[in-house]
Amino acid sequence: MKILRIDSSIMGDHSTSRELTGAIVDKLRGSTDAEVVSRDLVAERLGHATPATLPSAHPLSQLAGPLEGDALAARANSDAILEEFLAADIVVIGAPMYNFTIPTQLKAWVDRILVPGKTFGYSEQGPTGLVSGKRVIVAVTRGGFYGAGSPAAAVEHGDSYLRAALSFIGIKDPEVIVAEGLQVSEDQKTAAKTSANEAIQALAA
């Protein structure tokens, strides 16, 4: 079994989403010899999508022309990101909310896995997801309350965006664990993390 762990929080050791992705991976590994590949999108400074940084398989990558040096290395890294996503049996994504949506680092990663002909295609019936049989678990963290029924629900564009992007490539039912209200009070933060960790322990291994 191959597990791909994606972290995107800028908070380092103070990050709740990183704490949760670590707990999820630990739960999934159990006593097995699962192979875990970890990508810290902040530490590796993953750049925004351009024709030069998109994977080779992306049609727009050809607009960049021949690449050399650092640009060639960036292209190779994007190719590796796409291939390790496709090879993973389980993908664990840490998705903190920043300014109502996901971090730009995580958006840059998504841009590298949404590739025509690889993860989705077009037909007369419209777009079709090409990714199947992959389990995705998302750890969502938010400072305030943005869940369904809350006054701020209309400006939640992180969890909803990831669900839409994953559904587009064929992953219709990601498992989403949410810890929110983390900045409201210490008691709320403790309660949110406890609830999230209980949900993690309830995950099927």
Side-chain angles (χ1 to χ4, degrees):
M1 179 173 67
K2 295 183 178 180
I3 301 173
L4 173 61
R5 174 182 173 181
I6 302 296
D7 284 305
S8 61
S9 170
I10 64 173
M11 301 298 290
D13 293 340
H14 302 286
S15 166
T16 299
S17 68
R18 289 175 183 269
E19 180 181 335
L20 296 181
T21 57
I24 292 169
V25 169
D26 287 344
K27 167 65 176 178
L28 296 175
R29 291 180 71 178
S31 58
T32 70
D33 57 352
E35 176 186 348
V36 179
V37 175
S38 297
R39 275 209 179 252
D40 184 335
L41 304 181
V42 176
E44 73 173 83
R45 300 180 181 274
L46 188 63
H48 295 297
T50 68
T53 61
L54 287 171
S56 302
H58 199 294
L60 293 180
S61 69
Q62 303 307 310
L63 298 177
L67 302 177
E68 297 179 354
D70 290 344
L72 191 60
R75 169 68 58 77
N77 187 49
S78 293
D79 288 342
I81 286 172
L82 176 60
E83 292 307 315
E84 70 190 14
F85 171 74
L86 292 173
D89 299 298
I90 304 175
V91 182
V92 179
I93 303 172
M97 173 189 272
Y98 293 164
N99 300 320
F100 311 117
T101 188
I102 61 174
T104 58
Q105 293 88 346
L106 183 54
K107 175 59 167 61
W109 179 82
V110 172
D111 288 337
R112 285 161 171 81
I113 67 166
L114 266 64
V115 178
K118 284 287 191 176
T119 56
F120 72 93
Y122 290 108
S123 69
E124 293 180 355
Q125 288 72 43
T128 303
L130 302 178
V131 179
S132 61
K134 195 179 302 295
R135 183 181 183 188
V136 177
I137 305 171
V138 184
V140 173
T141 55
R142 303 191 280 246
F145 295 103
Y146 296 87
S150 69
V155 296
E156 190 288 304
H157 305 298
D159 176 12
S160 56
Y161 166 75
L162 282 176
R163 289 177 186 269
L166 292 169
S167 178
F168 185 76
I169 61 175
I171 301 168
K172 304 296 184 182
D173 297 302
E175 299 166 70
V176 180
I177 295 171
V178 179
E180 65 174 358
L182 298 174
Q183 298 298 321
V184 172
S185 69
E186 283 301 314
D187 287 345
Q188 171 56 33
K189 182 176 183 178
T190 298
K193 292 172 69 171
T194 297
S195 178
N197 278 293
E198 289 174 350
I200 289 169
Q201 294 309 308
L203 289 171

